[in-house]
Amino acid sequence: MSTVLGIDIGTSGVRVLAVCESGTVLASAQSPLKSYRSADGRTHEQDPQSWWAAVCTALKQVSGTLSEARCLGAISAVGVTSTSGSLVIADSAGAVLRNAILYDDGRAAELAGDLRTKETPEINASYSLAKAVWVRRYEPHLWERTRHLLHPADWIVGKLSGRYGVSDYCNSLKLGYDPHEACWSEATRKANFPPELLPEVLDPGEIAGSVCASASEESGLPTGLPVVLGATDGMADLVASGAQHAADTNTTLGTTMVWKVLSTVQPRLSGSIYCHRHPGGWLAPGAASNTGPGSVQWSGGEADRWAADLQANERFPTSLICYPLRGTGERFPFHSDCASGFHDGEPATYWDSYAAQLEALAYIERWGYERLSACGVETGGAVYSGGAAARSRTLARVRSSVLQRPVCQSEHPSAAFGAAILAAGGSIYGGDLRSAISRMTHLANVEDPCPELSRQYEDLYGEFRTACARRGYV
């Protein structure tokens, strides 16, 4: 069988999967990453060179596993995905000029308002467009040397293929690209960047180049292997979730929380809501929060996570209200540059606090879908789930009861798997991404709402919204 590789550049680590055309994972590897956040939470950066080192480490591990299984020669393509809105600036040779400014870095907040237009009212500090304007204003010595405005996936594609200055329309959306009109928006024109700094925009799943000799030597991949453009991590998670019908929804529970909906109708954009073009042909309105599973205060290691879930499961519902937010500022389901996390009530035990934070994630998820519905997006039916935290049956139980809808989890709910599907769509399925999704994704679990919990959470959700409103979070 043909095999594809999916690479995901996440906040806390790089993940690589080798997946066959039927959706079976043949090999996987992860390599951790560090990021650098200021004490006030306003700045958040990461060294792109650490991405490449982690990618090479993980690729060599996966290649070793495939080689032992004698299927290394069957690889058809490699696809790449990464966080949305993170900015990389590079010179003409693709060398980075500073640390990447990550998606939730808030320094560009005061500049984002000047970029908004009637067509793009949602621009905020999370946009790579605003981050690039910030670099131009406050780091002119670096701006003078900048020749490429890129996103993490774009830069890794460049490292693999030697071709810099190319992106996909999902990543480029937050640089101001309009995927529906296939051109740069008025907001990008207001930024007045030299046109040569902007990437050439292609479709997710389109071949950007092939593995070059230097990348082959460093990564262990064969020279000439097609390198396929992926998408943002949120879009890749949507692809991996198995959602494939209009009104299917997807919540990605990675470090942060991301909402996506498959739609046939263009929504009314407002606040931080944007609208991707799904590479399978749908529209995909959605939004992203600064909070998520990565903001949950947790003192144990990952090996203890399942034990913690069992403890929390016995404490639902709690009467505690909180909003877990690691840094300063929130972009969705409300927007505030100075928002901070809060806790109302004193937990009796550590496990009560942990349980309350899981409930808060479910409340925030519901709030997000209510915001999308208010913009004319149909969000009924099951909620498909992606990201590492989607594997938690305890969290799924709370989410389904708060959302009052079934919560579905695919066998491999990860952006790396989504990147692999995009690679397969372009290299194995002849560009038919819908067939790739249908044949490669398989549901592992469906959690239905508990009627009694749903009734109790209806009141508690109202208390949560009231607590947020008292702080001006509306």
Side-chain angles (χ1 to χ4, degrees):
M1 281 191 176
S2 295
T3 301
V4 287
L5 300 177
I7 300 172
D8 175 45
I9 314 300
T11 310
S12 59
V14 164
R15 190 178 189 199
V16 175
L17 296 181
V19 184
C20 77
E21 61 190 75
S22 65
T24 300
V25 174
L26 303 176
S28 65
Q30 299 185 66
S31 189
L33 293 171
K34 291 183 178 179
S35 62
Y36 311 98
R37 192 189 293 272
S38 63
D40 63 3
R42 189 167 174 78
T43 67
H44 194 193
E45 298 186 349
Q46 205 161 43
D47 179 8
Q49 298 295 347
S50 69
W51 304 336
W52 179 240
V55 165
C56 290
T57 296
L59 282 172
K60 287 178 179 177
Q61 292 176 19
V62 166
S63 295
T65 302
L66 294 178
S67 181
E68 291 175 4
R70 298 184 179 181
C71 54
L72 182 60
I75 300 176
S76 300
V78 55
V80 188
T81 188
S82 67
T83 55
S84 171
S86 299
L87 177 71
V88 180
I89 62 170
D91 65 16
S92 58
V96 295
L97 300 176
R98 70 178 321 283
N99 280 346
I101 305 176
L102 295 189
Y103 51 90
D104 58 349
D105 187 291
R107 282 173 287 182
E110 69 274 14
L111 301 175
D114 295 334
L115 299 171
R116 294 174 188 145
T117 68
K118 183 179 180 181
E119 291 73 26
T120 55
E122 75 282 1
I123 292 177
N124 55 54
S126 72
Y127 274 60
S128 50
L129 178 65
K131 295 176 175 67
V133 171
W134 184 91
V135 173
R136 181 176 62 187
R137 174 173 293 191
Y138 294 105
E139 298 178 339
H141 60 295
L142 296 180
W143 185 256
E144 290 176 359
R145 298 165 55 197
T146 300
R147 296 296 177 270
H148 295 297
L149 298 176
L150 302 170
H151 304 92
D154 308 336
W155 188 72
I156 293 297
V157 165
K159 291 292 289 185
L160 287 168
S161 66
R163 183 185 180 187
Y164 296 93
V166 63
S167 185
D168 64 271
Y169 60 65
C170 290
N171 272 297
S172 296
L173 183 143
K174 289 197 173 180
L175 195 56
Y177 188 77
D178 185 338
H180 312 292
E181 299 296 329
C183 65
W184 294 102
S185 69
E186 179 63 27
T188 306
R189 292 191 287 273
K190 285 182 70 174
N192 197 29
F193 296 145
E196 60 270 19
L197 299 190
L198 298 171
E200 177 186 0
V201 181
L202 304 176
D203 293 348
E206 193 167 343
I207 295 175
S210 58
V211 173
C212 61
S214 61
S216 176
E217 183 177 350
E218 291 185 73
S219 69
L221 292 179
T223 303
L225 178 70
V227 179
V228 170
L229 290 171
T232 60
D233 52 358
M235 181 59 70
D237 272 310
L238 175 59
V239 168
S241 73
Q244 52 192 294
H245 302 100
D248 282 354
T249 62
N250 170 252
T251 308
T252 299
L253 298 160
T255 300
T256 59
M257 187 182 300
V258 181
W259 295 256
K260 290 283 190 301
V261 184
L262 296 186
S263 178
T264 58
V265 178
Q266 177 74 36
R268 300 184 302 275
L269 299 183
S270 67
S272 298
I273 296 172
Y274 46 81
C275 187
H276 277 290
R277 188 176 128 214
H278 191 286
W282 298 280
L283 298 176
S289 175
N290 286 349
T291 192
S295 294
V296 172
Q297 295 180 10
W298 169 246
S299 59
E302 284 304 314
D304 301 322
R305 179 75 70 174
W306 302 116
D309 276 3
L310 288 174
Q311 289 284 343
N313 203 36
E314 298 175 357
R315 289 163 167 79
F316 298 138
T318 75
S319 59
L320 302 169
I321 300 296
C322 66
Y323 199 104
L325 194 60
R326 180 172 293 182
T328 300
E330 178 59 294
R331 46 186 168 154
F332 191 81
F334 66 90
H335 177 258
S336 170
D337 295 328
C338 58
S340 58
F342 68 82
H343 288 76
D344 284 352
E346 194 66 33
T349 68
Y350 166 79
W351 307 114
D352 292 297
S353 173
Y354 179 73
Q357 291 176 83
L358 298 187
E359 291 174 329
L361 295 182
Y363 298 150
I364 294 165
E365 182 179 8
R366 174 171 167 173
W367 190 358
Y369 281 121
E370 289 175 352
R371 285 284 316 281
L372 285 162
S373 294
C375 291
V377 179
E378 185 180 350
T379 61
V383 178
Y384 292 80
S385 305
R391 296 183 177 90
S392 169
R393 296 287 294 273
T394 297
L395 181 55
R397 178 179 177 234
V398 175
R399 292 171 57 218
S400 67
S401 294
V402 171
L403 295 169
Q404 300 181 15
R405 288 190 276 166
V407 168
C408 304
Q409 179 207 319
S410 68
E411 287 185 347
H412 306 291
S414 72
F417 193 80
I421 294 176
L422 287 165
S427 65
I428 298 174
Y429 288 96
D432 185 356
L433 183 63
R434 294 195 185 195
S435 291
I437 294 172
S438 178
R439 296 178 189 178
M440 296 178 71
T441 60
H442 311 281
L443 287 182
N445 179 60
V446 177
E447 192 74 36
D448 290 314
C450 169
E452 178 60 21
L453 270 181
S454 290
R455 184 187 63 78
Q456 293 173 297
Y457 278 135
E458 191 65 25
D459 292 335
L460 290 169
Y461 174 68
E463 293 178 17
F464 168 78
R465 291 293 302 274
T466 298
C468 289
R470 282 201 301 268
R471 294 164 171 84
Y473 303 165
V474 293

